[in-house]
Amino acid sequence: MQAATRPMTIAGRRIPTLREMGAWLVSEVHRTPRGLKIWYALLGVFLAVGGVAALISVPPGWEVMGTSPKFEWGLLIVAYVFFAIITSGLCLSASLGTVFGLERFLPFEKRHAVLALISLITAFLVIALELHYPIRMVFGAMLTPAPTSPMWWMGVFYGTYLVVLIIEVWTLFTNHPVIHKYACTSCAIVAVFAPTTLGAVFGVLAAKPFWYGIFTPIQMVCTALTAGLAILGIVFWAVDRFRLANHGTAKPIAMPSIRLLMAIALVIVSALLIRQMVDALASPQPGMREAAIALISGPLAIQFWGVRVVIGLVVPALLLAMPMTRTPWGLLGTSVTMLVGVFMDRLNFVEAGQIYPRTTQAGTVSYPYAAYTPSPVELGILLFALAFFALAYTLAERYLKMGEGDSHIFWPWPWIKPHHDHEHDGEDDHDHKADGAQVDPLKRLASATPAQEVAL
Amino acid sequence: MTEKLNPADAEPTPTPVVAQPDAVEPAAEAPEAAEAAAVVPADAEPMPAPAMAPADAVLVPLEQLAPAIAAASVSRRAFLGFGLAVAGGVVGAGVLAQYFPVFASAGDEVAPIVPNYNPATKAWTFVVDSASCIGCGLCVVACKEENHVPEPAEYARTWIERHVTTTDGQLYIDSPEAGINGFPKDSTAPGAAGKAVKSSYFQPRLCMQCAEPPCVGVCPVSATYQTEDGIVLVDARRCIGCGYCVTSCPYGARYLTPAGEDTPSDTPGVADKCTWCYHRINKGQKPACVEICPVKSRQFGDANDPADPIAAIVKATNPAPFHPEWGTKPRVLYLGPALEEA
């Protein structure tokens, strides 16, 4: 392998030649385990099928969606909201480690950030396919800003979010601790603002009483946290099951913590759901009570009781509570059911809001309920988005170094001294320099004060 | 704390060089080992992560390390510089735009569509009498013809509803094909068949041209706007087709246009709505639906014009807006049973 000329380098790293890249690709294919190949093939099929659906949906005005003037927002809005809140949820739970100093999650910091970025890109993909003119949106939002529109603010915050997330991921992999620090804190802040404005998109619509109100943004943030935790649960299971980087800390440290956080999130989300239903049933506003009845005993009853309540809340709560399911597989079950519950919650929310129009919609009377069935194209785009998300994460896990994330601990409020500051004073700044010299998170945990232990 | 080194300044400290002596020994197995290390084997033995790190250090010989560090610090500077450049560019563009207006802004005065038309002097008033409407559907036909509204019944800028109250006190609303073909004898609403009718009336519907339109407030790109004379219009070339205005309208007056021959604009998939035939009224004509109504149940005019009878009609009949409690200040005024029911 003696090269005749001096090889090209970037920042000290040699750029491989085309031939080397080809050879690497061939050897990589040989080296890929069989199970992984099957997984890639499956995702490839999903992407192909979904890709066709996505292409069909591109020309504006083709009536390929199940939506209509009486039911204008459908599955793609649900999918967009779902991936957008996963992003925020991941950042909220990631900030536990980076912003609030909970050290248990630090070994998984890179996964949080990479997943959040992938999920946000997926969300943007879905919304670009949902909108008829996404490019107009980019220019229109910048050239003719509309500060009265929550959707414009949502664009501002999620746009900012994308930039900040890219910076965060870049700094995680290139060792820029100072920029990383600011990126992380900005991310945690935007992670609250973004789903709040997303909730406000629905919450300001007085025409849809079920969506209207102050609780919609709150609910959006709480379901965001739930979704983020569920994704992390799946990732922790994968880390443990496939012995990925930092798998040593997944089972003893991360899993008990995430189980506790999941339990808290389930309680909050259940309380909010009960409040929402009671409030709607007691409301004198036309459209509000009918929406709740549609969920409880109407056309949405199966997806409400069966999927949202039983699969989304009761089953994960049982899996968390029972000692025999406090295993990685139990965590996987909890996470998957919680995630299904969150998705169904978003679907129920969007459907119930439109199912009982106050008046005739553009000449169509919907009685007793407006009907909406997702079209194959919409389902295909959802499949595409899920497969894209899974494939991007699989590739990231395989080819990026995910396991050196515990060196970026910092305290963002210098005027308040953290408990462990005296123990790690000066140490933190050196950790990231010693490339690879990882401090055992168990040791770090041992040095945490009893108060922090309780908090965990 | 002040003595603590700024991590950014500490970058060129010889920390990576310390790792160099460790890296000398395995240097022989250079590229292959490095490539292998770049991959996280899914089925590898449990192995602590630090074990992979020295193999990584092999990639970077000592003489290349200094430029690498320099490149790393430059990239941060470049990053900040890039950020400043972008910020400066945005500010500069903003300042320049003040002097050289390239793009029209929402605050700009809209050039009159028709010369000699002064919207500020107009007080357009629309009165609908639900008592006299016979449900013939000619207004729907005229609207579709005049405004190229898509053929299918689920796209309608204006439509007619029939409200039927049966003897058991139930209210049934139907609007077959948006009323374009008139109405059959019996209500088509589910459950209404066979029931004895106590009372019924027809209610023509259209955009209320609200004084405080929610659709204008929610548009993320300011594609929908209110003219000076109070008409809410859509700029089809700016609309992104998100459907937010459709969901925001409590009166159901909007829809997204489908692709096809018969669409109101050259770009399909955008929001569309009743404009009170703005292209006609600013030339002194009446809206198409008003023009064609055989029983004069739709009345339209300029209340500021002494020669126009609309002011006298309003004064004599005292019509009222439909569902003013929805808070959008609707401007279509109704007469007859539609008001009593609301």
Side-chain angles (χ1 to χ4, degrees), chain A residues 115-418:
Chain A
L115 274 166
L117 185 58
I118 293 172
S119 150
L120 190 57
I121 292 169
T122 314
F124 280 147
L125 264 178
V126 174
I127 201 68
L129 291 169
E130 205 276 340
L131 291 178
H132 292 157
Y133 295 93
I135 296 168
R136 275 186 196 178
M137 182 202 66
V138 175
F139 287 101
M142 286 194 286
L143 298 174
T144 52
T148 56
S149 168
M151 196 182 267
W152 183 78
W153 283 106
M154 181 187 75
V156 168
F157 282 117
Y158 275 104
T160 312
Y161 208 166
L162 183 68
V163 173
V164 175
L165 261 178
I166 289 173
I167 295 174
E168 190 187 337
V169 170
W170 169 66
T171 50
L172 265 175
F173 286 93
T174 53
N175 201 3
H176 288 79
V178 178
I179 301 174
H180 178 71
K181 173 171 141 178
Y182 288 109
C184 273
T185 309
S186 323
C187 234
I189 293 167
V190 185
V192 177
F193 273 100
T196 308
T197 47
L198 184 54
V201 167
F202 297 92
V204 299
L205 292 181
K208 304 279 183 268
F210 193 71
W211 292 350
Y212 184 72
I214 188 79
F215 274 96
T216 305
I218 296 172
Q219 212 155 5
M220 201 65 87
V221 177
C222 293
T223 42
L225 182 63
T226 318
L229 291 172
I231 288 282
L232 283 188
I234 295 172
V235 166
F236 289 168
W237 167 82
V239 168
D240 184 70
R241 168 73 182 76
F242 301 111
R243 300 188 166 277
L244 304 172
N246 278 28
H247 69 271
T249 48
K251 205 167 174 180
I253 295 181
M255 286 190 183
S257 317
I258 200 147
R259 231 176 258 134
L260 179 62
L261 288 173
M262 280 173 159
I264 295 169
L266 278 179
V267 169
I268 295 172
V269 167
S270 307
L272 282 171
L273 186 68
I274 292 167
R275 185 219 67 85
Q276 186 185 33
M277 299 315 289
V278 170
D279 184 43
L281 285 173
S283 171
Q285 245 187 334
M288 188 84 162
R289 194 163 173 273
E290 287 81 358
I293 289 172
L295 282 171
I296 291 171
S297 58
L300 306 177
I302 293 173
Q303 60 196 61
F304 178 73
W305 290 113
V307 186
R308 175 64 191 128
V309 175
V310 175
I311 296 179
L313 293 173
V314 177
V315 172
L318 286 176
L319 287 173
L320 283 175
M322 287 193 301
M324 69 167 83
T325 48
R326 288 181 193 164
T327 58
W329 282 98
L331 182 70
L332 177 70
T334 315
S335 307
V336 170
T337 48
M338 262 170 79
L339 207 55
V340 169
V342 168
F343 185 84
M344 195 44 82
D345 192 39
R346 294 302 90 208
L347 184 65
N348 284 342
F349 178 74
V350 167
E351 290 198 346
Q354 300 172 89
I355 201 162
Y356 190 85
R358 275 177 168 180
T359 67
T360 311
Q361 302 280 312
T364 308
V365 183
S366 308
Y367 181 85
Y369 294 115
Y372 163 71
T373 314
S375 72
V377 169
E378 282 170 291
L379 292 168
I381 293 173
L382 178 65
L383 188 72
F384 180 80
L386 290 170
F388 174 81
F389 182 79
L391 181 67
Y393 179 63
T394 311
L395 291 176
E397 190 67 65
R398 192 159 167 79
Y399 298 111
L400 294 179
K401 278 179 225 146
M402 296 293 221
E404 43 184 61
D406 73 334
S407 55
H408 297 280
I409 186 157
F410 71 95
W411 190 254
W413 302 284
W415 59 91
I416 307 170
K417 272 212 152 197

Side-chain angles (χ1 to χ4, degrees), chain A residues 22-44:
Chain A
W24 176 84
L25 196 66
V26 170
S27 72
E28 184 55 31
V29 170
H30 286 301
R31 214 180 301 146
T32 305
R34 193 152 169 227
L36 195 57
K37 277 182 188 159
I38 294 171
W39 175 239
Y40 283 151
L42 189 70
L43 292 180

